[in-house]
Amino acid sequence: MKLQSVVLCAALLGGCSLVKSEPQRSYCEAVCDWAVGCVSVEREVDLEAMRASCVSAAEAVDPACADASAGALDPLTSEALSACTEAIDASASAGECDGFTGSIDDIKTATTAPECASEGAAAQEVITAAQSSTAETNEELCTRFSESFCLKAESCILGDYAGEIPQEAIDAAGGTPYDLCVAGVSAITNECVSSDRYAPEESLDDVNLARQAARECLIGFDALTCDEIFSGEMPELCAGSFSSTEDAAAFAAALYEIGQAYAN
């Protein structure tokens, strides 16, 4: 229970019961619904498990969230919470996701809704907890990075074949574009995983540059052209995603070879 609400309740109403509200969705739950919803647009996730993990992390920094679920809020606090969660839901509905899936600068400057000032000092801590608990793991990002390029490569080749690659072309190349791509970059993907190349930051003051370069690459991925994918060089947008220039060159070479295998 927020102390200011108790004092205000006593001052305005001459004293009131602190257990008058019905159980309601907490600030922690609203923020986590927002975060998980944003993340699910960016990548495939286990929505239920991620939400549970997020709420647990958020409640650890703001134990008062449990009061809402228990119906232990006084009327004034309950009303303020409703205004807060409605504002958060409006941001979520508007697709305002940069604070969870945007650039590192967006994540660093993310804030809660102004209507949530009633949540006190813990309000911003809940945002940070939601960001951390929904952040992509190292292995997830390593895999998504490689798979995004392979899916794009296959899409480009499908375009060259008017949407359907003949079986004889697949047989001649030795596999589908996607399968060949995944195999071709597997050593680099595995090294990414084993070396923790894209490990999430423990503190936003100590940025993992390779991780953030990979994220920036994927955020702007739709803008990459098929010519860039098969150029034999990593697009400038994505070049910083690798631990060495050799890895970047090997990744680009694998994509180039797939393009050549299906050149018609």
Side-chain angles (χ1 to χ4, degrees):
M1 184 63 60
K2 303 294 188 294
L3 179 59
Q4 63 266 37
S5 295
V6 176
V7 173
L8 185 59
C9 180
L12 295 181
L13 305 179
C16 58
S17 169
L18 297 182
V19 188
K20 285 190 174 181
S21 68
E22 294 294 325
Q24 68 186 100
R25 183 159 155 261
S26 71
Y27 171 65
C28 294
E29 290 173 315
V31 169
C32 286
D33 287 339
W34 183 17
V36 173
C38 288
V39 166
S40 69
V41 174
E42 176 188 64
R43 61 189 191 272
E44 186 175 340
V45 298
D46 184 332
L47 294 173
E48 186 175 343
M50 179 174 281
R51 184 181 187 278
S53 175
C54 179
V55 171
S56 178
E59 289 183 346
V61 297
D62 189 3
C65 280
D67 291 344
S69 301
L73 302 181
D74 66 77
L76 291 176
T77 303
S78 176
E79 183 178 356
L81 174 59
S82 292
C84 166
T85 57
E86 287 171 8
I88 290 173
D89 289 345
S91 294
S93 296
E96 296 175 8
C97 290
D98 286 352
F100 301 105
T101 58
S103 70
I104 188 64
D105 290 335
D106 291 328
I107 291 172
K108 283 182 175 182
T109 57
T111 58
T112 192
E115 292 85 350
C116 296
S118 56
E119 290 300 308
Q124 192 60 34
E125 293 179 32
V126 168
I127 296 290
T128 301
Q131 290 172 329
S132 298
S133 63
T134 60
E136 199 164 11
T137 67
N138 171 70
E139 183 172 359
E140 288 170 341
L141 184 52
C142 289
T143 301
R144 184 164 72 96
F145 184 87
S146 293
E147 288 184 349
S148 294
F149 273 93
C150 292
L151 288 169
K152 179 81 169 186
E154 182 159 83
S155 176
C156 289
I157 291 170
L158 278 168
D160 290 340
Y161 283 90
E164 183 175 357
I165 304 173
Q167 187 59 47
E168 55 265 30
I170 295 174
D171 293 341
T176 67
Y178 179 79
D179 289 342
L180 289 176
C181 178
V182 169
V185 302
S186 61
I188 300 169
T189 305
N190 292 338
E191 188 278 332
C192 178
V193 173
S194 63
S195 68
D196 280 340
R197 184 192 301 166
Y198 298 152
E201 291 85 357
E202 293 184 6
S203 167
L204 293 180
D205 294 326
D206 185 17
V207 175
N208 180 341
L209 295 179
R211 174 184 175 84
Q212 296 309 325
R215 293 187 65 252
E216 290 281 358
C217 169
L218 294 177
I219 289 171
F221 201 75
D222 288 345
L224 296 182
T225 67
C226 293
D227 287 343
E228 288 178 299
I229 294 292
F230 295 129
S231 68
E233 298 182 2
M234 285 306 300
E236 183 178 353
L237 174 66
C238 306
S241 307
F242 298 87
S243 54
S244 67
T245 55
E246 291 78 13
D247 278 351
F251 196 98
L255 294 170
Y256 174 80
E257 290 172 7
I258 293 160
Q260 291 301 299
Y262 276 93
N264 61 9

